[in-house]
Amino acid sequence: MGTRAHLEFWYDDQLAHTRSTEQHIADIVNEMKRLDSAMSPYIESSELSLVNRQAGKQEVVITEELFSLLQVAQKLSKLSKGAFDITYASLGYRYDYRNKIRPDSQVISESLASINYQSIQLDSTKLTVKFTNPNVKIDLGGIAKGYAIKRCIDLLKNKGIEHALMSAGGDTLLLGDRRGRPWMVGIKHPREDDKNVVHLPLNDEAISTSGDYERFFIEDGIRYHHIINPKTGDSAREVVSVSVIGSDATIVDALSTTAFVKGLGDGMKLINSLKGYEAIIIDNKHRLHFSNGLQQ
Ligand code: AMP
Ligand code: MG
């Protein structure tokens, strides 16, 4: 998934004899590898790559797992009126942040028509996906890390483990507490890699941070980064960091990307309208903003 993952867990002696710690860790590593090989756009044999090659021509039967993730993505697209849109990739794959390559304005204007989540047709009886526009490509980068850590924490939970922290990139999911105290999760300083701007005590919750510092290059003083506004085809620049807190790791992952695209006003409004979700937004003047439930 092109990012660093971190795992911590505790368990009682009772469980220790059923499987060793090393085996628990190996199971998590295998699960991450399984998800990467299914959902990576960089792996040709991944299910996602197969969909991108074929769904523009015909209906493609997919796994229940990918199908339900696509359903979640579609739900978020509707909720955000297209700010979250996995078809951003129709243009998004033209960006290469490592090699400082970006599409020119002509390519952007040609590709914008292919960014439209409504071109994705899902059939839940047949478990198929089809793109009504042959130029559509999809990418799950805005949602897959959240889903992956959820799967990993579920795996530990099913073995009877009750205290764990798993993170991948900017996404973290907590199971239980940290030996009687809350876990402390830091929100990164957007411009100083080794600094945090906020520390939050959290239990049994997910937090996802989307930042313009994760994947980017700077050209003529302008930062081109990996979160794309589907309406303009350019990087979203009203804010520099959005963290969303809530119970479901997949949803908070999608919501942090969504609120980033929407910007401070609309992004915060969206989070405040959703029960059970909170946000911390850092705007492009590096000022901190908190959602209603975090005001006190
Ligand atoms: P995150 O770090 O969770 O905000 O995810 C950023 C990733 O989401 C990017 O690297 C892209 O793979 C993907 N992405 C970028 N723009 C969008 C968008 N407008 N809607 C959905 N996914 C996006
Ligand atoms: Mg996200």
Side-chain angles (χ1 to χ4, degrees):
M1 292 176 198
T3 190
R4 182 191 294 262
H6 178 97
L7 169 68
E8 282 177 50
F9 58 96
W10 277 274
Y11 55 99
D12 296 334
D13 289 347
Q14 279 153 287
L15 284 171
H17 63 266
T18 55
R19 259 182 112 106
S20 72
T21 305
E22 282 69 27
Q23 281 172 318
H24 291 312
I25 295 169
D27 290 348
I28 297 295
V29 171
N30 285 337
E31 180 62 2
M32 292 296 273
K33 284 187 179 157
R34 183 186 73 79
L35 289 167
D36 191 40
S37 58
M39 290 169 194
S40 169
Y42 306 110
I43 300 174
E44 252 184 66
S45 59
S46 73
E47 195 180 9
L48 184 100
S49 297
L50 178 95
V51 167
N52 275 336
R53 279 195 302 272
Q54 298 190 339
K57 299 175 215 145
Q58 73 221 38
E59 284 185 335
V60 182
V61 181
I62 55 177
T63 55
E64 262 183 69
E65 183 171 51
L66 181 59
F67 193 88
S68 26
L69 258 188
L70 294 182
Q71 280 181 314
V72 174
Q74 291 298 77
K75 206 169 97 183
L76 262 296
S77 294
K78 280 185 201 126
L79 178 74
S80 67
K81 300 196 175 71
F84 186 87
D85 188 334
I86 57 173
T87 70
Y88 90 91
S90 313
L91 169 68
Y93 79 95
R94 300 282 198 148
Y95 284 88
D96 178 345
Y97 301 98
R98 204 171 291 172
N99 294 311
K100 303 189 175 191
I101 294 169
R102 63 186 177 89
D104 61 30
S105 54
Q106 197 193 331
V107 171
I108 290 182
S109 58
E110 281 165 11
S111 313
L112 277 182
S114 309
I115 304 183
N116 182 355
Y117 66 94
Q118 284 159 334
S119 322
I120 304 175
Q121 284 187 342
L122 298 173
D123 185 326
S124 56
T125 48
K126 291 188 282 185
L127 280 189
T128 57
V129 56
K130 187 178 186 312
F131 303 152
T132 54
N133 174 342
N135 301 323
V136 166
K137 297 270 177 289
I138 58 170
D139 181 281
L140 296 172
I143 194 172
K145 289 193 296 302
Y147 176 71
I149 58 175
K150 179 170 155 178
R151 287 283 312 186
C152 292
I153 289 288
D154 278 347
L155 223 140
L156 293 176
K157 228 191 215 164
N158 291 338
K159 297 159 177 243
I161 291 169
E162 293 170 340
H163 306 273
L165 174 155
M166 171 107 193
S167 69
D171 292 86
T172 303
L173 177 57
L174 309 162
L175 175 64
D177 59 19
R178 188 182 190 274
R179 308 174 108 185
R181 286 164 174 239
W183 297 91
M184 292 303 289
V185 181
I187 295 177
K188 266 194 180 175
H189 190 292
R191 296 293 176 264
E192 290 175 57
D193 207 25
D194 49 354
K195 255 198 202 165
N196 287 328
V197 281
V198 182
H199 289 96
L200 297 161
L202 296 171
N203 292 328
D204 277 315
E205 217 144 16
I207 174 165
S208 168
T209 301
S210 293
D212 68 356
Y213 48 84
E214 291 276 359
R215 242 169 251 184
F216 72 96
F217 62 90
I218 291 174
E219 193 186 298
D220 298 331
I222 298 171
R223 181 179 289 248
Y224 295 91
H225 68 85
H226 67 317
I227 303 172
I228 305 293
N229 182 340
K231 292 202 172 68
T232 63
D234 191 11
S235 305
R237 294 199 186 83
E238 209 186 300
V239 300
V240 299
S241 163
V242 174
S243 300
V244 176
I245 304 162
S247 59
D248 187 300
T250 316
I251 304 289
V252 296
D253 189 0
L255 282 175
S256 68
T257 313
T258 305
F260 196 110
V261 172
K262 281 192 164 286
L264 179 62
D266 287 352
M268 198 60 105
K269 201 162 132 195
L270 174 70
I271 302 300
N272 278 329
S273 74
L274 302 172
K275 207 170 152 267
Y277 295 94
E278 299 298 338
I280 298 171
I281 299 182
I282 308 177
D283 67 26
N284 57 17
K285 307 269 183 324
H286 295 185
R287 286 176 304 220
L288 272 175
H289 304 267
F290 297 88
S291 60
N292 292 341
L294 298 175
Q295 294 287 344
Q296 65 279 29

